[in-house]
Amino acid sequence: MKAFTALTATELRLLFRDPASLFFMTAFPLMLLVLKRGDSGAVPGYIAMIVAIGGIGALPGIVASYRERKFLKRLAITPVSPVMLFGAQVVAQVVLGLAGSALLVVVSIVGFGVEPPRNLPLLAAAFLLCSVMACSLGFVIAAVVRNARGASLIGMLVMFPMIFLAGAAVPRKALPDALRRIGDFLPLTPGVDALGGGWSGTVAVFPMVLLAGIIVAGTAAAVALFRWE
C-alpha cells in the first residue's frame, strides 16, 4: 500500500506540473463553455471530453515515455506490478479530471446560472465509470505502441475524432446522420449519455453497463499486451 500511495502521489505531482494537461483539462473546457454562453446541455459532454483528454489523449504518451526511459524495466524488479502502475495512473487521471470537471460545474452554475445536477451521486458514478473507461483505452494504446511519440500521436488521433462524434464537444443531434451512426459505436458515447443522465437525474442503465463492459475488456487487453520494455 505504501508503494502504491507513493507512486500515485508522484503521478499526481507530475500531472499537475504538466501545462498541457492542466490547460486542456481545466481552461479549455471553460473556454468552450464561454463560447456556448453557458449552455447547460453542453456541460456533461464537456466533462466527458475532460476525461477523454486525460485518459486517451495524454496517458498513452506518459506510460510509453516511462518505457522508453527504461523506467518500467527498473520497476519490473521492484514490488510494483503492472496493476499497481495502472492503478496509480488511473487515480491521478481521475483526480485531475475531477478537478477540471468540478471547476467547470461551479463556473457553469455560478457564472451562467446553469441548473445544478439533479442527481449528484449518479453523476459521480457516471464520471468514475467514464474516467476509468478512458484510462483503460489509453493503456491499450500504450501497450500496443511502444514509443512515447507514437503513443501520444495515436492517442490524440483516437481522442479528437471521438470527442466530436460521441457528442462530447458538440451535441450529436447537430451532426449529419452518417456521423451520428459512427458515433453510436464509439466507447465515449455511453460516457456522454451516462453523464447526461446523471445531470438530468435520469438513470442511464444501458450506457453505464456498456462502460463497465468496456472497462473489463480494455483492462484485460492492456494487461495481456503490456510489456515492461
Side-chain angles (χ1 to χ4, degrees), residues 55-56 59-60 86 90 129-143 187 211-223:
I56 302 173
L59 186 147
F86 289 3
V90 169
L129 282 172
C130 192
S131 297
V132 178
M133 181 278 297
C135 289
S136 70
L137 297 182
F139 282 125
V140 172
I141 295 171
L211 289 174
I214 296 168
I215 290 170
V216 172
T219 302
V223 171

Side-chain angles (χ1 to χ4, degrees), residues 95-179:
V95 170
L96 182 55
L98 181 60
S101 299
L103 179 61
L104 176 70
V105 171
V106 170
V107 171
S108 67
I109 294 172
V110 176
F112 295 96
V114 171
E115 183 180 350
R118 295 182 180 179
N119 193 325
L120 193 57
L122 184 60
L123 181 65
F127 170 82
L128 184 60
L129 282 172
C130 192
S131 297
V132 178
M133 181 278 297
C135 289
S136 70
L137 297 182
F139 282 125
V140 172
I141 295 171
V144 173
V145 186
R146 301 301 176 86
N147 63 84
R149 181 174 296 181
S152 295
L153 177 61
I154 296 301
M156 291 295 180
L157 289 176
V158 171
M159 183 270 296
F160 271 113
M162 191 180 299
I163 62 175
F164 285 98
L165 297 176
V170 295
R172 293 187 66 213
K173 62 183 179 182
L175 299 175
D177 290 341
L179 295 182

Side-chain angles (χ1 to χ4, degrees), residues 8-103:
T8 302
T10 300
E11 295 297 336
L12 274 172
R13 285 196 298 270
L14 292 174
L15 271 182
F16 277 97
R17 291 173 183 173
D18 180 16
S21 294
L22 284 176
F23 173 77
F24 283 107
M25 295 179 72
T26 56
F28 183 64
L30 292 178
M31 294 167 58
L32 294 180
L33 183 69
V34 172
L35 293 175
K36 282 280 188 177
R37 299 183 180 180
D39 181 6
S40 60
V43 177
Y46 291 165
I47 295 175
M49 180 175 61
I50 288 171
V51 301
I53 288 172
I56 302 173
L59 186 147
I62 294 172
V63 176
S65 70
Y66 290 167
R67 180 186 290 111
E68 275 194 329
R69 291 182 290 172
K70 307 299 181 182
F71 177 63
L72 295 184
K73 185 178 180 180
R74 291 194 292 271
L75 278 182
I77 60 174
T78 73
V80 177
S81 66
V83 174
M84 191 179 296
L85 176 65
F86 289 3
Q89 285 284 343
V90 169
V91 172
Q93 291 292 342
V94 168
V95 170
L96 182 55
L98 181 60
S101 299
L103 179 61

